[in-house]
Amino acid sequence: MGAPADSIQASADPPGWYHPGRAGSLQLGPKLLGAFGELHPAVIEALDARPPLAGFEVFLDAMPGPRLGRAKPPVHLSVFQPIERDFAFVIDRDLPAESLLRAARGVDRKLVSEIRLFDVYEGAELPDGKKSLAITVVLQPQERTLTDAEIEGFSKRLITQVEKATGGQLRG
């Protein structure tokens, strides 16, 4: 719908007709793009419905729409094998996962083809007030196969960037 997916922020402050703590919203800067989650108990009662009841909404008028005159560069398929690396960081429980993802995306935009969150862990092995977020980073070299030293160098830069931006630590 024209919104740059990497710039969309998720937050836990949806409109009042959603259940606090069980819903969220998606924003692009100050614009509210959508909301989702369980409906507020008072709304469910007014509808004479049985809980839980979930919903979502998308605000089409808030979508930026396609950008005309700015074509995306063609996708270049690489003959080189992509490299996947997993990293897990222990961060403050209240820190949104998006903060960690944004920090990781900024390390090397030409080399990184994808970063995705695959696990959120909050358990007894972690200190109080902490959670572990695990991400997969896919490196896609375009010009040549990466050496072990280059992969290790990228990994160190990513760890440093994420730790600096989030205050977290690489999980051992």
Side-chain angles (χ1 to χ4, degrees):
M1 298 179 74
D6 288 348
S7 298
I8 295 175
Q9 299 127 358
S11 69
D13 59 342
W17 48 90
Y18 289 98
H19 193 301
R22 295 184 184 174
S25 63
L26 299 174
Q27 292 180 232
L28 184 60
K31 289 185 177 181
L32 181 63
L33 301 179
F36 56 90
E38 283 189 33
L39 296 181
H40 194 281
V43 172
I44 294 173
E45 186 177 325
L47 294 172
D48 195 28
R50 287 186 352 179
L53 187 61
F56 71 93
E57 53 196 322
V58 177
F59 304 109
L60 297 175
D61 57 339
M63 295 293 170
R67 293 183 179 194
L68 300 176
R70 297 185 81 197
K72 286 186 174 184
V75 175
H76 296 286
L77 297 178
S78 178
V79 297
F80 302 104
Q81 182 74 25
I83 301 157
E84 287 193 19
R85 292 289 183 263
D86 294 341
F87 300 87
F89 294 91
V90 177
I91 63 171
D92 289 339
R93 182 176 287 143
D94 296 336
L95 188 74
E98 183 58 36
S99 298
L100 186 143
L101 292 169
R102 187 174 293 120
R105 284 185 192 117
V107 175
D108 189 335
R109 293 185 185 271
K110 289 183 180 179
L111 182 59
V112 175
S113 65
E114 181 180 6
I115 295 181
R116 63 185 177 271
L117 179 69
F118 73 87
D119 187 45
V120 178
Y121 176 75
E122 297 179 35
E125 295 84 24
L126 297 175
D128 286 340
K130 299 289 185 180
K131 66 183 172 185
S132 172
L133 299 180
I135 60 172
T136 295
V137 178
V138 180
L139 306 177
Q140 181 58 72
Q142 295 294 322
E143 298 173 3
R144 60 184 167 72
T145 302
L146 298 176
T147 65
D148 289 342
E150 289 170 324
I151 297 167
E152 183 65 27
F154 170 84
S155 296
K156 287 180 180 177
R157 289 193 316 275
L158 181 126
I159 292 165
T160 300
Q161 175 78 9
V162 169
E163 288 180 347
K164 181 180 175 184
T166 65
Q169 294 292 314
L170 185 68
R171 186 171 177 192

Tab-separated table of all heavy atoms in Angstrom, residues 33-97:
chain	number	residue	atom	x	y	z
A	33	LEU	N	-1.542	4.032	11.143
A	33	LEU	CA	-1.890	3.255	9.958
A	33	LEU	C	-2.923	2.174	10.251
A	33	LEU	O	-3.702	1.810	9.376
A	33	LEU	CB	-0.645	2.597	9.363
A	33	LEU	CG	0.492	3.507	8.936
A	33	LEU	CD1	1.642	2.670	8.385
A	33	LEU	CD2	0.027	4.528	7.926
A	34	GLY	N	-2.905	1.645	11.475
A	34	GLY	CA	-3.829	0.580	11.801
A	34	GLY	C	-3.753	0.211	13.260
A	34	GLY	O	-2.859	0.640	13.979
A	35	ALA	N	-4.712	-0.578	13.696
A	35	ALA	CA	-4.753	-1.064	15.072
A	35	ALA	C	-5.294	-2.488	15.051
A	35	ALA	O	-5.989	-2.895	14.121
A	35	ALA	CB	-5.635	-0.159	15.924
A	36	PHE	N	-4.978	-3.246	16.111
A	36	PHE	CA	-5.344	-4.654	16.151
A	36	PHE	C	-5.353	-5.138	17.585
A	36	PHE	O	-4.738	-4.537	18.453
A	36	PHE	CB	-4.334	-5.481	15.345
A	36	PHE	CG	-2.923	-5.290	15.826
A	36	PHE	CD1	-2.391	-6.108	16.810
A	36	PHE	CD2	-2.132	-4.263	15.328
A	36	PHE	CE1	-1.096	-5.919	17.273
A	36	PHE	CE2	-0.834	-4.065	15.781
A	36	PHE	CZ	-0.322	-4.902	16.761
A	37	GLY	N	-6.059	-6.219	17.836
A	37	GLY	CA	-6.027	-6.864	19.143
A	37	GLY	C	-7.402	-7.182	19.677
A	37	GLY	O	-8.411	-7.125	18.966
A	38	GLU	N	-7.428	-7.536	20.975
A	38	GLU	CA	-8.696	-7.839	21.632
A	38	GLU	C	-9.465	-6.552	21.874
A	38	GLU	O	-8.885	-5.529	22.214
A	38	GLU	CB	-8.456	-8.538	22.974
A	38	GLU	CG	-8.090	-9.980	22.836
A	38	GLU	CD	-8.079	-10.694	24.174
A	38	GLU	OE1	-8.887	-10.352	25.071
A	38	GLU	OE2	-7.241	-11.600	24.316
A	39	LEU	N	-10.783	-6.628	21.740
A	39	LEU	CA	-11.626	-5.473	22.012
A	39	LEU	C	-11.784	-5.281	23.522
A	39	LEU	O	-11.689	-6.226	24.298
A	39	LEU	CB	-12.997	-5.641	21.362
A	39	LEU	CG	-12.998	-5.707	19.835
A	39	LEU	CD1	-14.426	-5.843	19.319
A	39	LEU	CD2	-12.319	-4.501	19.225
A	40	HIS	N	-12.000	-4.043	23.914
A	40	HIS	CA	-12.172	-3.682	25.318
A	40	HIS	C	-13.400	-4.407	25.879
A	40	HIS	O	-14.413	-4.552	25.169
A	40	HIS	CB	-12.353	-2.168	25.437
A	40	HIS	CG	-12.216	-1.670	26.823
A	40	HIS	ND1	-13.226	-1.783	27.744
A	40	HIS	CD2	-11.178	-1.051	27.451
A	40	HIS	CE1	-12.839	-1.253	28.884
A	40	HIS	NE2	-11.591	-0.801	28.742
A	41	PRO	N	-13.345	-4.863	27.136
A	41	PRO	CA	-14.499	-5.557	27.722
A	41	PRO	C	-15.801	-4.750	27.644
A	41	PRO	O	-16.874	-5.333	27.428
A	41	PRO	CB	-14.071	-5.776	29.176
A	41	PRO	CG	-12.574	-5.836	29.114
A	41	PRO	CD	-12.186	-4.865	28.030
A	42	ALA	N	-15.737	-3.428	27.787
A	42	ALA	CA	-16.954	-2.607	27.707
A	42	ALA	C	-17.548	-2.649	26.295
A	42	ALA	O	-18.776	-2.644	26.128
A	42	ALA	CB	-16.648	-1.169	28.109
A	43	VAL	N	-16.707	-2.710	25.273
A	43	VAL	CA	-17.185	-2.797	23.890
A	43	VAL	C	-17.835	-4.155	23.658
A	43	VAL	O	-18.910	-4.241	23.055
A	43	VAL	CB	-16.019	-2.555	22.889
A	43	VAL	CG1	-16.453	-2.839	21.468
A	43	VAL	CG2	-15.472	-1.147	23.032
A	44	ILE	N	-17.222	-5.197	24.175
A	44	ILE	CA	-17.779	-6.549	24.016
A	44	ILE	C	-19.145	-6.628	24.703
A	44	ILE	O	-20.098	-7.186	24.158
A	44	ILE	CB	-16.805	-7.608	24.567
A	44	ILE	CG1	-15.530	-7.629	23.706
A	44	ILE	CG2	-17.453	-8.986	24.609
A	44	ILE	CD1	-14.428	-8.500	24.243
A	45	GLU	N	-19.230	-6.032	25.893
A	45	GLU	CA	-20.498	-6.026	26.619
A	45	GLU	C	-21.566	-5.256	25.841
A	45	GLU	O	-22.711	-5.699	25.728
A	45	GLU	CB	-20.303	-5.404	28.002
A	45	GLU	CG	-21.529	-5.480	28.881
A	45	GLU	CD	-21.286	-4.921	30.263
A	45	GLU	OE1	-20.156	-5.076	30.783
A	45	GLU	OE2	-22.214	-4.325	30.819
A	46	ALA	N	-21.195	-4.106	25.275
A	46	ALA	CA	-22.154	-3.306	24.499
A	46	ALA	C	-22.629	-4.047	23.255
A	46	ALA	O	-23.754	-3.851	22.800
A	46	ALA	CB	-21.518	-1.970	24.112
A	47	LEU	N	-21.775	-4.900	22.712
A	47	LEU	CA	-22.144	-5.696	21.539
A	47	LEU	C	-22.905	-6.961	21.924
A	47	LEU	O	-23.343	-7.708	21.040
A	47	LEU	CB	-20.885	-6.078	20.743
A	47	LEU	CG	-20.112	-4.944	20.091
A	47	LEU	CD1	-18.793	-5.453	19.510
A	47	LEU	CD2	-20.952	-4.303	18.993
A	48	ASP	N	-22.994	-7.219	23.222
A	48	ASP	CA	-23.619	-8.423	23.734
A	48	ASP	C	-22.966	-9.666	23.117
A	48	ASP	O	-23.621	-10.587	22.638
A	48	ASP	CB	-25.136	-8.424	23.475
A	48	ASP	CG	-25.859	-9.468	24.313
A	48	ASP	OD1	-25.366	-9.794	25.420
A	48	ASP	OD2	-26.900	-9.970	23.852
A	49	ALA	N	-21.631	-9.628	23.116
A	49	ALA	CA	-20.841	-10.722	22.535
A	49	ALA	C	-20.080	-11.449	23.643
A	49	ALA	O	-19.975	-10.959	24.766
A	49	ALA	CB	-19.872	-10.167	21.497
A	50	ARG	N	-19.553	-12.608	23.308
A	50	ARG	CA	-18.762	-13.379	24.274
A	50	ARG	C	-17.285	-13.102	24.077
A	50	ARG	O	-16.790	-13.149	22.940
A	50	ARG	CB	-19.016	-14.870	24.087
A	50	ARG	CG	-20.364	-15.321	24.572
A	50	ARG	CD	-20.535	-16.805	24.522
A	50	ARG	NE	-19.434	-17.485	23.834
A	50	ARG	CZ	-19.342	-18.776	23.673
A	50	ARG	NH1	-20.277	-19.552	24.137
A	50	ARG	NH2	-18.337	-19.320	23.026
A	51	PRO	N	-16.579	-12.822	25.152
A	51	PRO	CA	-15.135	-12.601	25.033
A	51	PRO	C	-14.409	-13.925	24.846
A	51	PRO	O	-14.971	-14.967	25.184
A	51	PRO	CB	-14.758	-11.954	26.357
A	51	PRO	CG	-15.813	-12.379	27.323
A	51	PRO	CD	-17.063	-12.621	26.518
A	52	PRO	N	-13.212	-13.948	24.370
A	52	PRO	CA	-12.515	-12.780	23.811
A	52	PRO	C	-12.982	-12.518	22.384
A	52	PRO	O	-13.406	-13.425	21.674
A	52	PRO	CB	-11.054	-13.205	23.835
A	52	PRO	CG	-11.090	-14.698	23.667
A	52	PRO	CD	-12.362	-15.152	24.359
A	53	LEU	N	-12.885	-11.276	21.995
A	53	LEU	CA	-13.262	-10.861	20.653
A	53	LEU	C	-12.158	-9.951	20.139
A	53	LEU	O	-11.790	-8.985	20.799
A	53	LEU	CB	-14.600	-10.120	20.694
A	53	LEU	CG	-15.250	-9.757	19.364
A	53	LEU	CD1	-15.555	-10.996	18.542
A	53	LEU	CD2	-16.534	-8.976	19.606
A	54	ALA	N	-11.599	-10.281	19.001
A	54	ALA	CA	-10.481	-9.510	18.452
A	54	ALA	C	-10.902	-8.842	17.151
A	54	ALA	O	-11.865	-9.244	16.508
A	54	ALA	CB	-9.283	-10.422	18.206
A	55	GLY	N	-10.154	-7.825	16.794
A	55	GLY	CA	-10.422	-7.122	15.551
A	55	GLY	C	-9.190	-6.384	15.077
A	55	GLY	O	-8.162	-6.354	15.756
A	56	PHE	N	-9.309	-5.813	13.911
A	56	PHE	CA	-8.238	-4.974	13.379
A	56	PHE	C	-8.861	-3.946	12.459
A	56	PHE	O	-9.985	-4.092	11.992
A	56	PHE	CB	-7.179	-5.793	12.638
A	56	PHE	CG	-7.652	-6.348	11.325
A	56	PHE	CD1	-7.441	-5.649	10.139
A	56	PHE	CD2	-8.311	-7.559	11.265
A	56	PHE	CE1	-7.878	-6.160	8.920
A	56	PHE	CE2	-8.755	-8.075	10.056
A	56	PHE	CZ	-8.536	-7.371	8.887
A	57	GLU	N	-8.139	-2.896	12.227
A	57	GLU	CA	-8.574	-1.868	11.287
A	57	GLU	C	-7.352	-1.280	10.612
A	57	GLU	O	-6.272	-1.215	11.186
A	57	GLU	CB	-9.387	-0.784	11.998
A	57	GLU	CG	-8.698	-0.190	13.201
A	57	GLU	CD	-9.652	0.582	14.091
A	57	GLU	OE1	-10.556	1.254	13.574
A	57	GLU	OE2	-9.477	0.512	15.313
A	58	VAL	N	-7.536	-0.888	9.372
A	58	VAL	CA	-6.485	-0.271	8.576
A	58	VAL	C	-7.021	1.071	8.104
A	58	VAL	O	-8.118	1.136	7.543
A	58	VAL	CB	-6.104	-1.152	7.367
A	58	VAL	CG1	-5.064	-0.463	6.507
A	58	VAL	CG2	-5.613	-2.515	7.831
A	59	PHE	N	-6.270	2.135	8.340
A	59	PHE	CA	-6.691	3.473	7.966
A	59	PHE	C	-6.098	3.814	6.597
A	59	PHE	O	-4.971	4.307	6.493
A	59	PHE	CB	-6.284	4.484	9.035
A	59	PHE	CG	-6.815	4.123	10.393
A	59	PHE	CD1	-5.980	3.680	11.385
A	59	PHE	CD2	-8.179	4.184	10.650
A	59	PHE	CE1	-6.474	3.333	12.636
A	59	PHE	CE2	-8.690	3.837	11.887
A	59	PHE	CZ	-7.839	3.414	12.885
A	60	LEU	N	-6.848	3.510	5.556
A	60	LEU	CA	-6.354	3.653	4.188
A	60	LEU	C	-5.972	5.090	3.851
A	60	LEU	O	-5.016	5.319	3.106
A	60	LEU	CB	-7.395	3.133	3.197
A	60	LEU	CG	-7.718	1.642	3.319
A	60	LEU	CD1	-8.843	1.270	2.369
A	60	LEU	CD2	-6.491	0.802	3.062
A	61	ASP	N	-6.704	6.057	4.414
A	61	ASP	CA	-6.383	7.453	4.106
A	61	ASP	C	-5.052	7.888	4.711
A	61	ASP	O	-4.490	8.896	4.299
A	61	ASP	CB	-7.511	8.388	4.552
A	61	ASP	CG	-7.836	8.268	6.030
A	61	ASP	OD1	-7.492	7.224	6.633
A	61	ASP	OD2	-8.434	9.206	6.578
A	62	ALA	N	-4.515	7.119	5.652
A	62	ALA	CA	-3.222	7.452	6.255
A	62	ALA	C	-2.052	6.825	5.490
A	62	ALA	O	-0.899	7.177	5.729
A	62	ALA	CB	-3.181	6.990	7.709
A	63	MET	N	-2.348	5.909	4.582
A	63	MET	CA	-1.290	5.245	3.814
A	63	MET	C	-0.675	6.235	2.830
A	63	MET	O	-1.388	7.015	2.202
A	63	MET	CB	-1.841	4.053	3.035
A	63	MET	CG	-2.356	2.951	3.896
A	63	MET	SD	-1.006	2.179	4.800
A	63	MET	CE	-1.938	1.154	5.907
A	64	PRO	N	0.652	6.201	2.705
A	64	PRO	CA	1.297	7.163	1.813
A	64	PRO	C	1.010	6.928	0.340
A	64	PRO	O	1.116	7.843	-0.460
A	64	PRO	CB	2.783	6.996	2.112
A	64	PRO	CG	2.919	5.672	2.766
A	64	PRO	CD	1.604	5.368	3.410
A	65	GLY	N	0.634	5.730	-0.041
A	65	GLY	CA	0.363	5.439	-1.444
A	65	GLY	C	1.653	5.272	-2.224
A	65	GLY	O	2.743	5.529	-1.725
A	66	PRO	N	1.528	4.822	-3.449
A	66	PRO	CA	2.733	4.605	-4.254
A	66	PRO	C	3.425	5.923	-4.579
A	66	PRO	O	2.778	6.954	-4.742
A	66	PRO	CB	2.211	3.927	-5.521
A	66	PRO	CG	0.772	4.302	-5.588
A	66	PRO	CD	0.301	4.516	-4.177
A	67	ARG	N	4.736	5.859	-4.640
A	67	ARG	CA	5.521	7.042	-5.003
A	67	ARG	C	5.782	6.998	-6.496
A	67	ARG	O	6.507	6.147	-6.982
A	67	ARG	CB	6.845	7.060	-4.250
A	67	ARG	CG	6.656	7.252	-2.779
A	67	ARG	CD	7.987	7.336	-2.106
A	67	ARG	NE	7.780	7.557	-0.690
A	67	ARG	CZ	8.722	7.930	0.116
A	67	ARG	NH1	9.949	8.103	-0.304
A	67	ARG	NH2	8.462	8.122	1.391
A	68	LEU	N	5.171	7.898	-7.190
A	68	LEU	CA	5.344	7.934	-8.632
A	68	LEU	C	6.655	8.623	-8.980
A	68	LEU	O	7.099	9.531	-8.296
A	68	LEU	CB	4.167	8.669	-9.275
A	68	LEU	CG	2.801	8.037	-8.998
A	68	LEU	CD1	1.699	8.893	-9.596
A	68	LEU	CD2	2.749	6.630	-9.557
A	69	GLY	N	7.271	8.169	-10.040
A	69	GLY	CA	8.509	8.789	-10.497
A	69	GLY	C	9.751	8.263	-9.806
A	69	GLY	O	10.842	8.667	-10.125
A	70	ARG	N	9.575	7.367	-8.849
A	70	ARG	CA	10.722	6.804	-8.153
A	70	ARG	C	10.674	5.293	-8.280
A	70	ARG	O	10.113	4.619	-7.434
A	70	ARG	CB	10.723	7.200	-6.682
A	70	ARG	CG	10.850	8.697	-6.461
A	70	ARG	CD	10.966	9.002	-5.000
A	70	ARG	NE	12.359	8.776	-4.616
A	70	ARG	CZ	12.764	8.636	-3.383
A	70	ARG	NH1	11.918	8.676	-2.393
A	70	ARG	NH2	14.039	8.445	-3.104
A	71	ALA	N	11.221	4.785	-9.332
A	71	ALA	CA	11.218	3.344	-9.543
A	71	ALA	C	12.252	2.690	-8.650
A	71	ALA	O	13.320	3.245	-8.391
A	71	ALA	CB	11.524	3.028	-11.008
A	72	LYS	N	11.928	1.516	-8.159
A	72	LYS	CA	12.888	0.757	-7.375
A	72	LYS	C	13.935	0.180	-8.325
A	72	LYS	O	13.620	-0.198	-9.450
A	72	LYS	CB	12.197	-0.392	-6.645
A	72	LYS	CG	11.372	0.050	-5.474
A	72	LYS	CD	10.859	-1.172	-4.738
A	72	LYS	CE	10.147	-0.766	-3.483
A	72	LYS	NZ	9.717	-1.922	-2.717
A	73	PRO	N	15.172	0.111	-7.847
A	73	PRO	CA	16.176	-0.516	-8.707
A	73	PRO	C	15.826	-1.988	-8.922
A	73	PRO	O	15.197	-2.603	-8.067
A	73	PRO	CB	17.478	-0.370	-7.909
A	73	PRO	CG	17.069	-0.062	-6.519
A	73	PRO	CD	15.698	0.529	-6.576
A	74	PRO	N	16.214	-2.537	-10.049
A	74	PRO	CA	15.890	-3.938	-10.305
A	74	PRO	C	16.557	-4.846	-9.281
A	74	PRO	O	17.639	-4.552	-8.787
A	74	PRO	CB	16.447	-4.197	-11.708
A	74	PRO	CG	17.407	-3.107	-11.965
A	74	PRO	CD	16.990	-1.941	-11.117
A	75	VAL	N	15.895	-5.920	-8.968
A	75	VAL	CA	16.444	-6.891	-8.035
A	75	VAL	C	17.502	-7.699	-8.773
A	75	VAL	O	17.245	-8.241	-9.845
A	75	VAL	CB	15.333	-7.818	-7.496
A	75	VAL	CG1	15.920	-8.910	-6.628
A	75	VAL	CG2	14.298	-7.010	-6.749
A	76	HIS	N	18.671	-7.761	-8.172
A	76	HIS	CA	19.755	-8.540	-8.773
A	76	HIS	C	19.862	-9.859	-8.035
A	76	HIS	O	20.113	-9.887	-6.841
A	76	HIS	CB	21.084	-7.790	-8.687
A	76	HIS	CG	21.095	-6.520	-9.476
A	76	HIS	ND1	21.174	-6.513	-10.839
A	76	HIS	CD2	21.004	-5.229	-9.094
A	76	HIS	CE1	21.159	-5.258	-11.274
A	76	HIS	NE2	21.044	-4.465	-10.231
A	77	LEU	N	19.629	-10.918	-8.759
A	77	LEU	CA	19.800	-12.229	-8.161
A	77	LEU	C	21.285	-12.523	-8.112
A	77	LEU	O	22.018	-12.292	-9.068
A	77	LEU	CB	19.067	-13.288	-8.979
A	77	LEU	CG	17.552	-13.123	-9.058
A	77	LEU	CD1	16.954	-14.205	-9.944
A	77	LEU	CD2	16.941	-13.165	-7.676
A	78	SER	N	21.711	-13.013	-6.982
A	78	SER	CA	23.125	-13.285	-6.794
A	78	SER	C	23.406	-14.758	-7.042
A	78	SER	O	22.599	-15.621	-6.714
A	78	SER	CB	23.531	-12.919	-5.365
A	78	SER	OG	24.894	-13.224	-5.160
A	79	VAL	N	24.556	-15.023	-7.605
A	79	VAL	CA	24.987	-16.405	-7.792
A	79	VAL	C	25.692	-16.918	-6.533
A	79	VAL	O	26.033	-18.089	-6.456
A	79	VAL	CB	25.932	-16.552	-9.012
A	79	VAL	CG1	25.202	-16.186	-10.289
A	79	VAL	CG2	27.181	-15.730	-8.840
A	80	PHE	N	25.884	-16.022	-5.566
A	80	PHE	CA	26.589	-16.398	-4.349
A	80	PHE	C	25.609	-16.836	-3.267
A	80	PHE	O	24.517	-16.281	-3.126
A	80	PHE	CB	27.450	-15.229	-3.852
A	80	PHE	CG	28.439	-14.784	-4.889
A	80	PHE	CD1	28.228	-13.625	-5.608
A	80	PHE	CD2	29.559	-15.548	-5.174
A	80	PHE	CE1	29.121	-13.225	-6.586
A	80	PHE	CE2	30.453	-15.158	-6.150
A	80	PHE	CZ	30.240	-13.997	-6.861
A	81	GLN	N	26.022	-17.840	-2.521
A	81	GLN	CA	25.191	-18.426	-1.468
A	81	GLN	C	24.881	-17.413	-0.373
A	81	GLN	O	25.778	-16.764	0.134
A	81	GLN	CB	25.947	-19.616	-0.865
A	81	GLN	CG	25.201	-20.354	0.209
A	81	GLN	CD	24.089	-21.206	-0.347
A	81	GLN	OE1	24.114	-21.618	-1.485
A	81	GLN	NE2	23.104	-21.472	0.474
A	82	PRO	N	23.594	-17.250	-0.003
A	82	PRO	CA	23.279	-16.395	1.144
A	82	PRO	C	23.782	-17.044	2.440
A	82	PRO	O	23.914	-18.264	2.520
A	82	PRO	CB	21.760	-16.291	1.134
A	82	PRO	CG	21.288	-17.430	0.315
A	82	PRO	CD	22.396	-17.808	-0.621
A	83	ILE	N	24.062	-16.220	3.412
A	83	ILE	CA	24.581	-16.685	4.692
A	83	ILE	C	23.607	-16.251	5.778
A	83	ILE	O	23.261	-15.075	5.863
A	83	ILE	CB	25.975	-16.075	4.966
A	83	ILE	CG1	26.926	-16.473	3.851
A	83	ILE	CG2	26.495	-16.478	6.337
A	83	ILE	CD1	28.100	-15.551	3.704
A	84	GLU	N	23.163	-17.195	6.594
A	84	GLU	CA	22.259	-16.878	7.694
A	84	GLU	C	23.002	-17.020	9.008
A	84	GLU	O	23.700	-18.013	9.228
A	84	GLU	CB	21.043	-17.811	7.703
A	84	GLU	CG	20.064	-17.523	6.608
A	84	GLU	CD	18.723	-18.235	6.809
A	84	GLU	OE1	18.421	-18.658	7.948
A	84	GLU	OE2	17.995	-18.358	5.818
A	85	ARG	N	22.818	-16.024	9.877
A	85	ARG	CA	23.388	-16.058	11.217
A	85	ARG	C	22.301	-15.669	12.209
A	85	ARG	O	21.526	-14.754	11.961
A	85	ARG	CB	24.574	-15.090	11.359
A	85	ARG	CG	25.801	-15.470	10.561
A	85	ARG	CD	26.463	-16.712	11.180
A	85	ARG	NE	27.666	-17.083	10.501
A	85	ARG	CZ	27.753	-18.022	9.565
A	85	ARG	NH1	26.681	-18.655	9.164
A	85	ARG	NH2	28.900	-18.328	9.007
A	86	ASP	N	22.252	-16.375	13.324
A	86	ASP	CA	21.300	-16.071	14.387
A	86	ASP	C	22.031	-15.382	15.531
A	86	ASP	O	23.164	-15.743	15.867
A	86	ASP	CB	20.638	-17.348	14.906
A	86	ASP	CG	19.756	-18.022	13.865
A	86	ASP	OD1	19.366	-17.347	12.883
A	86	ASP	OD2	19.466	-19.219	14.031
A	87	PHE	N	21.349	-14.397	16.127
A	87	PHE	CA	21.873	-13.659	17.269
A	87	PHE	C	20.746	-13.531	18.285
A	87	PHE	O	19.599	-13.288	17.898
A	87	PHE	CB	22.316	-12.246	16.865
A	87	PHE	CG	23.382	-12.211	15.823
A	87	PHE	CD1	23.052	-12.234	14.471
A	87	PHE	CD2	24.724	-12.146	16.169
A	87	PHE	CE1	24.029	-12.192	13.490
A	87	PHE	CE2	25.710	-12.107	15.196
A	87	PHE	CZ	25.366	-12.133	13.858
A	88	ALA	N	21.062	-13.677	19.562
A	88	ALA	CA	20.073	-13.458	20.619
A	88	ALA	C	20.641	-12.417	21.578
A	88	ALA	O	21.802	-12.497	21.986
A	88	ALA	CB	19.767	-14.752	21.359
A	89	PHE	N	19.817	-11.436	21.911
A	89	PHE	CA	20.221	-10.350	22.792
A	89	PHE	C	19.304	-10.290	24.005
A	89	PHE	O	18.088	-10.446	23.875
A	89	PHE	CB	20.156	-9.008	22.054
A	89	PHE	CG	21.143	-8.898	20.933
A	89	PHE	CD1	20.792	-9.277	19.643
A	89	PHE	CD2	22.422	-8.428	21.159
A	89	PHE	CE1	21.683	-9.186	18.599
A	89	PHE	CE2	23.332	-8.334	20.119
A	89	PHE	CZ	22.976	-8.704	18.843
A	90	VAL	N	19.893	-10.046	25.174
A	90	VAL	CA	19.117	-9.828	26.393
A	90	VAL	C	18.977	-8.326	26.554
A	90	VAL	O	19.975	-7.600	26.621
A	90	VAL	CB	19.818	-10.448	27.621
A	90	VAL	CG1	19.033	-10.138	28.899
A	90	VAL	CG2	19.972	-11.953	27.439
A	91	ILE	N	17.717	-7.874	26.584
A	91	ILE	CA	17.423	-6.445	26.665
A	91	ILE	C	16.355	-6.211	27.741
A	91	ILE	O	15.765	-7.160	28.250
A	91	ILE	CB	16.935	-5.885	25.313
A	91	ILE	CG1	15.614	-6.551	24.887
A	91	ILE	CG2	18.001	-6.055	24.234
A	91	ILE	CD1	14.962	-5.916	23.682
A	92	ASP	N	16.113	-4.945	28.058
A	92	ASP	CA	15.051	-4.609	28.995
A	92	ASP	C	13.710	-5.076	28.448
A	92	ASP	O	13.430	-4.915	27.260
A	92	ASP	CB	14.999	-3.101	29.246
A	92	ASP	CG	16.182	-2.607	30.064
A	92	ASP	OD1	16.807	-3.426	30.769
A	92	ASP	OD2	16.481	-1.405	29.991
A	93	ARG	N	12.887	-5.623	29.321
A	93	ARG	CA	11.588	-6.168	28.917
A	93	ARG	C	10.704	-5.122	28.236
A	93	ARG	O	9.935	-5.444	27.336
A	93	ARG	CB	10.872	-6.738	30.140
A	93	ARG	CG	9.533	-7.376	29.806
A	93	ARG	CD	8.886	-8.028	31.009
A	93	ARG	NE	9.612	-9.256	31.313
A	93	ARG	CZ	9.838	-9.692	32.549
A	93	ARG	NH1	9.419	-9.021	33.576
A	93	ARG	NH2	10.489	-10.815	32.738
A	94	ASP	N	10.826	-3.865	28.641
A	94	ASP	CA	9.965	-2.819	28.098
A	94	ASP	C	10.424	-2.277	26.748
A	94	ASP	O	9.691	-1.527	26.113
A	94	ASP	CB	9.853	-1.652	29.085
A	94	ASP	CG	9.182	-2.069	30.378
A	94	ASP	OD1	8.412	-3.054	30.366
A	94	ASP	OD2	9.421	-1.414	31.411
A	95	LEU	N	11.623	-2.625	26.318
A	95	LEU	CA	12.135	-2.121	25.048
A	95	LEU	C	11.431	-2.831	23.885
A	95	LEU	O	11.421	-4.059	23.824
A	95	LEU	CB	13.647	-2.339	24.944
A	95	LEU	CG	14.325	-1.686	23.748
A	95	LEU	CD1	14.424	-0.178	23.968
A	95	LEU	CD2	15.700	-2.266	23.533
A	96	PRO	N	10.841	-2.078	22.957
A	96	PRO	CA	10.176	-2.727	21.819
A	96	PRO	C	11.178	-3.467	20.930
A	96	PRO	O	12.304	-3.008	20.724
A	96	PRO	CB	9.556	-1.561	21.053
A	96	PRO	CG	9.589	-0.388	21.966
A	96	PRO	CD	10.701	-0.626	22.937
A	97	ALA	N	10.757	-4.593	20.403
A	97	ALA	CA	11.601	-5.376	19.492
A	97	ALA	C	12.018	-4.537	18.292
A	97	ALA	O	13.113	-4.703	17.753
A	97	ALA	CB	10.878	-6.636	19.045
